[in-house]
Amino acid sequence: MASNCATSALSCCPDQEYVQDKVCIPWTGTVTADDDAPVPIVVYVNNMGLNLYATGYLQYASGPANVTLQPIDSGGNNIGAPIAVSPGTTTSFTFRRFAQLQVILPESDAGANDGTYSGELCVTVRYPLA
C-alpha cells in the first residue's frame, strides 16, 4: 500500500515538528450528603486547540469510593468510555482532540461516598508547530 506523500518506495511524508510539555497537577475534591449527582473536577484544560495528543497517568491517592477519568470534547460531550480508578491505584492513558480532562467523583449515595478525594494527574502533551 503506497502513501500519498511518497515519491518513491523509500520516502515518507514530510517531518512535522512537535512541542512536548509535561505537567503534574495535584487534585482534590469533596463529596457531601448534598451531592445527589456525580461531582466533576476539571483537572486539565486544553487551551491550544483540538490538535493535541496527550499521554499520562491519573494517580488516585485516597478517597472512599472509585472515581473516573473522562476526556471531554469542545462541545462538552464525553469522548469514549470513562476510565474507573480505585483508591490507592494509578491508571495510564492516551487521549487526543479533547478540550478538558475531568475526574468524576461519585454521588453521595446516602453518605456511603462522602468524604475527601485526592490524587495527582501527570500529562505529557504534544502538539504540532504551526
Side-chain angles (χ1 to χ4, degrees):
M1 196 156 75
S3 168
N4 57 358
C5 296
T7 57
S8 73
L10 298 177
S11 61
C12 189
C13 297
D15 288 339
Q16 189 171 15
E17 292 186 44
Y18 282 82
V19 174
Q20 179 171 305
D21 292 316
K22 180 179 180 181
V23 63
C24 291
I25 307 148
W27 61 268
T28 187
T30 303
V31 173
T32 68
D34 296 332
D35 293 317
D36 57 358
V39 179
I41 300 170
V42 177
V43 291
Y44 186 85
V45 175
N46 170 6
N47 61 359
M48 293 174 262
L50 292 178
N51 197 14
L52 180 77
Y53 300 84
T55 58
Y57 66 86
L58 177 73
Q59 180 223 12
Y60 177 18
S62 64
N66 290 351
V67 299
T68 57
L69 175 63
Q70 180 67 63
I72 307 294
D73 69 19
S74 60
N77 303 304
N78 293 347
I79 300 173
I83 300 171
V85 188
S86 302
T89 66
T90 300
T91 190
S92 61
F93 59 83
T94 299
F95 299 128
R96 66 182 274 211
R97 299 186 183 265
F98 62 91
Q100 58 181 242
L101 300 177
Q102 294 182 353
V103 172
I104 312 291
L105 309 182
E107 62 189 48
S108 177
D109 194 22
N113 299 327
D114 292 6
T116 300
Y117 296 72
S118 65
E120 179 180 62
L121 174 84
C122 280
V123 61
T124 300
V125 295
R126 285 172 294 287
Y127 49 94
L129 290 175

